[in-house]
Amino acid sequence: MLAEDADLPLLTHDDPAFAGDRFHEVLDELASRTWLVRSDLGYLVLGREPGMALLKDRRLSFPAVELLELQGLSDGVIYERTTKGLMAQSGPAHARLRRLVSAAFTPRQVERLRPRLRGYLECLWHEIASAGRCEAVTALARPLPSMAIAELLGVPGDDALLARWSGSLQAVFDMDMDARRAEIEAAYEEVREYVLDLVAMRRQQPGEDLLSALVHHEQDGDRLSDDEIVTLSASVISGGTDTTESQLAHGLRLFSEHPDQWKKLGDDPALAEQATQEVLRFEPIVPFTARLVREELGVSGIVFPVGIVLFVCAATANRDPMTYADPGRFDITADRAGAQVLSFGFGTHFCAGAHLARAEITEALAFLAPRMRGLEPDGEPAFGTPTGIYTMRSLPVRFTARDPG
Ligand code: HEM
């Protein structure tokens, strides 16, 4: 049966209360009845198995270019960079770029950053410890990721610049192109000049950073062009900042709402890696990953014609009761049997920065939990909307500072 003829529940996103607990209540209730719902944006795939199968299926692709065309853009620097970016590629072109990037962006690159991350956390903590309260997005979650990306690219100290560019580059997803176009274009131009300068320097004098690795890595006679390195750097700057900020902010919010879990982590910071996994599972900050149907396909008796946009839902897949016992409980010591969370996507476009994001969140939780004792809300948190990147706008918290010795 064609999807449009199927009798499916309808979900509308324009309810401002569609965030926080209500977001999960609505989705979990729907997921208990059906794997597919119609929405004002397309179709939402709530089931874990069909979702994973679709993310692996090469008959679908990420609609990066179509998203721009929808906003009336079919040329210019934004269009050009987006069409060349990793997310817009598929098939052999994507596989080639991913191979070259993965060989440069290794777990070793991430391990190199851990001591630096701890140093940054010391500085951020120093600013808030004596007050015993802070707005945790501005004080902690926002600064750390751009510091990490600056270190990754070998430009420590340029974090404020990268944060500004990230904000502008991310605006391509805001569906507000008329208002933001000039700002986004300027950011692309600035990033291009900045990265080309760095590439020229690293070619002369390589360091340990990601840019040096991208410039010097060669595989079977193939290497990334300067232009490809520019595009990739723009993806790292834009894809590696708001995402990790939001995930860390939601994580701190969850712990402020679950004091027993925060105490457990504070008493045993070695649980931080497991705690990060539970944060990622419980509140994936890309709750829906878009895919465009490029060739007609059938799933469980439903036929999706070419051109349909499907949103695979990590928020319900990560709470699938067949995969996780008591999935609605936030529990950092629960045995989740190593089941893969869909928070970084799945399949060919699996997040290229997942190791780095995990390291940042793990280091932050391991550092903060033993020091920031008795973390609790200090007013109402403000949630962003859970389409695109599910941000936290503000998170006022209070705590008792302790020196763990
Ligand atoms: C908690 C933080 C993060 C989350 C939740 C996240 C999530 C995601 C998701 C859901 C995708 C798309 C998967 C798909 O559509 O199948 C993705 C792709 C990507 N992410 Fe992340 N991300 C995070 C951090 C980062 C960081 C730190 C970087 C870079 C340093 C990064 C770089 C990328 C890139 C380059 C892609 C495109 C991969 C491709 O198309 O092959 N992300 N991420």
Side-chain angles (χ1 to χ4, degrees):
M1 176 193 296
L2 272 175
E4 66 182 64
D5 298 330
D7 182 18
L8 300 171
L10 177 71
L11 183 74
T12 45
H13 289 78
D14 51 8
D15 172 1
F18 193 56
D21 289 343
R22 188 170 143 67
F23 172 63
H24 289 287
E25 280 158 21
V26 170
L27 284 178
D28 290 348
E29 193 279 322
L30 282 168
S32 70
R33 308 191 261 133
T34 174
W35 67 274
L36 186 69
V37 300
R38 210 186 304 280
S39 89
D40 39 357
L41 303 171
Y43 292 88
L44 306 185
V45 178
L46 303 183
R48 181 177 168 94
E49 266 186 41
M52 289 170 91
L54 286 164
L55 288 177
K56 271 198 317 194
D57 196 318
R58 289 173 193 277
R59 290 172 294 176
L60 300 111
S61 66
F62 182 74
V65 175
E66 289 72 11
L67 217 73
L68 292 181
E69 286 168 354
L70 259 178
Q71 301 181 71
L73 216 69
S74 55
D75 56 13
V77 62
I78 304 175
Y79 189 81
E80 207 184 298
R81 288 280 160 224
T82 307
T83 46
K84 288 181 184 166
L86 261 177
M87 280 304 289
Q89 306 292 319
S90 45
H94 178 261
R96 170 186 167 263
L97 274 181
R98 264 313 274 248
R99 224 178 12 253
L100 289 166
V101 171
S102 311
F105 196 177
T106 56
R108 208 171 134 247
Q109 280 283 348
V110 173
E111 290 312 307
R112 180 178 73 79
L113 300 186
R114 284 190 192 262
R116 306 290 301 178
L117 290 173
R118 292 194 279 269
Y120 285 127
L121 285 158
E122 288 274 4
C123 297
L124 297 173
W125 175 240
H126 183 72
E127 293 293 312
I128 55 169
S130 59
R133 56 177 9 128
C134 69
E135 194 285 282
V137 177
T138 323
L140 297 167
R142 184 159 304 147
L144 192 66
S146 34
M147 288 168 169
I149 298 293
E151 285 287 344
L152 181 74
L153 297 178
V155 289
D158 278 0
D159 47 295
L161 190 60
L162 301 187
R164 178 168 68 74
W165 284 333
S166 162
S168 301
L169 297 179
Q170 275 291 339
V172 293
F173 299 114
D174 288 355
M175 305 305 275
D176 192 15
M177 195 52 80
D178 286 347
R180 307 288 299 267
R181 182 169 181 169
E183 172 199 341
I184 305 170
E185 286 183 345
Y188 268 116
E189 287 304 344
E190 286 171 33
V191 167
R192 182 169 174 280
E193 274 179 36
Y194 177 84
V195 173
L196 286 178
D197 278 353
L198 287 171
V199 163
M201 285 192 268
R202 301 296 190 269
R203 192 159 277 135
Q204 298 295 319
Q205 211 174 14
E208 284 184 299
D209 56 279
L210 176 66
L211 270 180
S212 296
L214 291 172
V215 169
H216 290 279
H217 180 71
E218 187 186 299
Q219 213 168 354
D220 305 326
D222 190 14
R223 59 169 68 222
L224 293 165
S225 69
D226 285 5
D227 200 51
E228 284 170 331
I229 295 176
V230 168
T231 307
L232 195 75
S233 304
S235 312
V236 165
I237 293 168
S238 70
T241 312
D242 290 15
T243 44
T244 315
E245 168 193 321
S246 304
Q247 195 69 71
L248 180 54
H250 274 291
L252 292 172
R253 174 187 59 80
L254 286 170
F255 280 112
S256 73
E257 293 166 353
H258 296 84
D260 58 320
Q261 299 293 310
W262 189 242
K263 179 169 183 330
K264 224 183 248 188
L265 182 59
D267 293 345
D268 182 6
L271 290 170
E273 207 163 306
Q274 224 172 306
T276 299
Q277 177 73 2
E278 184 68 346
V279 165
L280 284 161
R281 182 190 75 81
F282 203 79
E283 198 66 273
I285 56 89
V286 184
F288 306 102
T289 302
R291 285 295 183 272
L292 180 72
V293 177
R294 300 249 175 222
E295 268 176 60
E296 181 175 287
L297 55 95
V299 184
S300 300
I302 303 283
V303 175
F304 297 104
V306 173
I308 292 278
V309 177
L310 301 174
F311 292 87
V312 175
C313 183
T316 46
N318 286 359
R319 294 185 185 207
D320 174 31
M322 303 296 281
T323 309
Y324 302 101
D326 203 357
R329 201 175 81 231
F330 178 67
D331 183 352
I332 63 170
T333 49
D335 180 6
R336 303 288 186 207
Q340 179 163 4
V341 295
L342 295 202
S343 318
F344 291 115
F346 184 71
T348 44
H349 290 283
F350 182 80
C351 175
H355 279 309
L356 176 60
R358 278 182 191 279
E360 287 178 57
I361 298 165
T362 303
E363 290 301 334
L365 295 180
F367 180 91
L368 294 170
R371 290 169 176 80
M372 209 177 189
R373 303 300 277 202
L375 179 72
E376 60 179 352
D378 188 25
E380 282 297 305
F383 291 85
T385 45
T387 44
I389 296 175
Y390 184 18
T391 57
M392 286 295 303
R393 297 206 175 113
S394 88
L395 179 66
V397 290
R398 54 177 176 249
F399 52 84
T400 305
R402 186 190 289 174
D403 181 353

